[in-house]
Amino acid sequence: MLTSLSLIFLVGLGMAAICQKIKLPRIIGMLVTGVVLGPFVLDFFDPSILGISADLRQMALIIILIKAGLSLDVGDLKKVGRPAILMSFLPAVFEILSFVLFAPKLLGVTLIEAAIMGAVLGAVSPAVVVPKMVNLMETHYGTDKSIPQLILAAASLDDVFVIVLFSTFVGMAQGGSVSPMDFVNIPISIVLGIALGAVLGWLLAAFFETSYAHKHLIRNSTKVIIVLGLSFLLMAIETWLEGIVSVSGLLAVMSMACVLQMKSTDFVSKRLSEKFGKLWIAAEVILFVLVGAAVDIRYTLEAGLLAIGLIFIALVFRSAGVLLCLIGTPLNFKERLFCVIAYLPKATVQAAIGSVPLSLGLPCGNIILSVAVLSIIITAPLGAFGMDITYKRLLNKE
């Protein structure tokens, strides 16, 4: 495992630096590292680290969501309420609709299989989008109209909606019945996740401030460990309550960090944000290299040109959904175009659930995995590169 970790860090960082040097996003170098060194090409990674790959990716995602929550301003979130809610589900609905309309004709799948494929591909990747939005908030690009906050909030909610739909469609494909509660669980998961995180964030802020007032100083490094431990607990609570009540652990984590930032002194929240920013340097490499390692490049050969065409058709539908969400907002054409670009990348969710239909023995498993892999290879670099080269031209610096 130690050899694998050394390869992840050294080769991943080296490839990221090379990409940065030739004006490409760092994420591309990390993804390529994972694909090439992973089990489907050179197979240099130890099976033990691949066995905990999903957990490591989730830990890295938690770190950047905490960083995002500590950088969010609740006042800014209030400004983007309506479009953020719309963007949390409407672009995904448009994309799923495109698969239902075109996948049966182009790939020969049934309607329910097309719906599963759309649900797999319908989620925007928080792993790609969230770090970009945090960087924009720190450099004050687009913050005059709260654009990074809008995309950050919407992308976090989007995953909850899509994963619930995916579970529902898979149940239908397996012959199970679908109850109205399957869809009621979507808002329940969001509301309970935000509420649980907010309560824990408030208690955490009170604990830190009380300790400071009574001269029981807690080192910032210790605070980071406490926040991380509680974040892992929130993710565990989501698993414990599965089948009883739906709770979004990722939203709870971001909500906790957001309330902690709001209720703490500026000094505490800024120091915590800096600490998690440093942690993200290592977590980013682990996340994207392991996402790349989960990509079976062989399945892209099975997908073919029709699958590539279908992915681009779906992106057009998705873009139309984003533009529809932004009607009535003060954003100009350039800013709306940036929102469309920011909503293109797919990686984390597709790597996590793309192989589920195949593992369940569904006839469509192979083709869904092929299209999911292809979507990561096409859209993750496209979205990351698009955001990197356009944000200075399309967004105002506050």
Side-chain angles (χ1 to χ4, degrees):
M1 184 182 284
L2 291 178
T3 305
S4 298
L5 283 172
S6 70
L7 288 173
I8 288 171
F9 285 123
L10 299 177
V11 181
L13 283 173
M15 288 294 291
I18 291 170
C19 285
Q20 191 174 26
K21 193 74 174 175
I22 59 176
K23 307 298 182 186
L24 288 175
R26 289 166 55 85
I27 179 182
I28 296 177
M30 298 175 201
L31 287 171
V32 169
T33 300
V35 171
V36 174
L37 299 184
F40 307 110
V41 183
L42 296 179
D43 195 17
F44 281 178
F45 291 150
D46 192 281
S48 59
I49 202 163
L50 295 174
I52 59 169
S53 171
D55 295 316
L56 290 174
R57 294 200 308 262
Q58 192 172 65
M59 288 167 65
L61 193 55
I62 286 170
I63 288 170
I64 191 55
L65 284 174
I66 295 171
K67 168 72 174 164
L70 291 169
S71 305
L72 268 178
D73 189 317
V74 176
D76 290 332
L77 280 180
K78 290 178 181 176
K79 296 178 190 174
V80 298
R82 182 189 64 83
I85 291 171
L86 290 176
M87 283 180 67
S88 69
F89 70 91
L90 205 54
V93 168
F94 270 57
E95 187 160 7
I96 293 169
L97 178 62
S98 72
F99 278 95
V100 170
L101 291 175
F102 295 100
K105 297 174 185 176
L106 295 177
L107 301 179
V109 296
T110 65
L111 282 177
I112 188 61
E113 289 171 344
I116 294 172
M117 188 181 294
V120 170
L121 271 73
V124 69
S125 173
V128 180
V129 173
V130 172
K132 301 287 183 189
M133 296 307 111
V134 172
N135 181 58
L136 290 180
M137 286 189 287
E138 290 175 348
T139 54
H140 303 291
Y141 276 96
T143 49
D144 55 331
K145 295 181 183 176
S146 303
I147 294 169
Q149 291 90 332
L150 162 65
I151 297 169
L152 180 62
S156 303
L157 294 169
D158 168 271
D159 285 358
V160 178
F161 174 74
V162 169
I163 290 172
V164 172
L165 281 186
F166 171 74
S167 303
T168 304
F169 292 147
V170 167
M172 292 169 66
Q174 290 179 307
S177 59
V178 178
S179 70
M181 275 307 295
D182 292 326
F183 297 98
V184 173
N185 277 335
I186 298 173
I188 289 176
S189 175
I190 292 170
V191 171
L192 286 182
I194 293 173
L196 180 62
V199 170
L200 201 54
W202 183 82
L203 291 173
L204 200 53
F207 171 65
F208 287 159
E209 295 302 320
T210 304
S211 300
Y212 183 77
H214 289 84
K215 306 298 182 185
H216 301 303
L217 299 181
I218 303 174
R219 295 182 60 179
N220 289 313
S221 300
T222 306
K223 290 175 184 173
V224 167
I225 294 171
I226 293 170
V227 172
L228 269 178
L230 289 172
S231 300
F232 297 156
L233 182 63
L234 287 172
M235 295 302 298
I237 287 172
E238 178 182 356
T239 306
W240 297 341
L241 296 178
E242 194 172 341
I244 303 171
V245 64
S246 294
V247 179
S248 170
L250 290 177
L251 277 180
V253 169
M254 196 163 75
S255 172
M256 179 187 71
C258 192
V259 172
L260 177 59
Q261 178 264 135
M262 187 172 60
K263 294 296 182 182
S264 301
T265 60
D266 285 346
F267 176 76
V268 171
S269 60
K270 283 180 180 177
R271 290 293 293 161
L272 281 175
S273 184
E274 287 172 10
K275 290 283 186 182
F276 277 101
K278 292 173 183 175
L279 271 180
W280 172 242
I281 295 170
E284 178 185 35
V285 184
I286 292 173
L287 176 60
F288 290 119
V289 171
L290 290 179
V291 165
V295 172
D296 190 341
I297 201 76
R298 296 170 299 178
Y299 284 112
T300 60
L301 302 175
E302 296 180 16
L305 292 175
L306 289 177
I308 295 174
L310 184 59
I311 289 169
F312 279 102
I313 290 170
L315 290 180
V316 171
F317 270 69
R318 183 177 192 80
S319 301
V322 172
L323 292 173
L324 188 62
C325 297
L326 299 175
I327 291 175
T329 63
L331 275 61
N332 59 37
F333 173 76
K334 288 183 176 181
E335 291 162 340
R336 294 182 192 206
L337 179 59
F338 179 81
C339 292
V340 168
I341 295 169
Y343 244 53
L344 295 180
K346 305 169 190 302
T348 329
V349 176
Q350 289 71 28
I353 67 175
S355 60
V356 171
L358 181 62
S359 65
L360 293 174
L362 296 179
C364 58
N366 260 327
I367 187 64
I368 288 177
L369 181 56
S370 302
V371 178
V373 168
L374 202 55
S375 74
I376 295 172
I377 292 170
I378 292 171
T379 64
L382 182 66
F385 187 58
M387 284 186 279
D388 278 353
I389 65 171
T390 61
Y391 76 93
K392 289 184 179 178
R393 301 175 190 177
L394 301 180
L395 301 178
N396 292 324
K397 185 168 184 179
E398 192 175 18

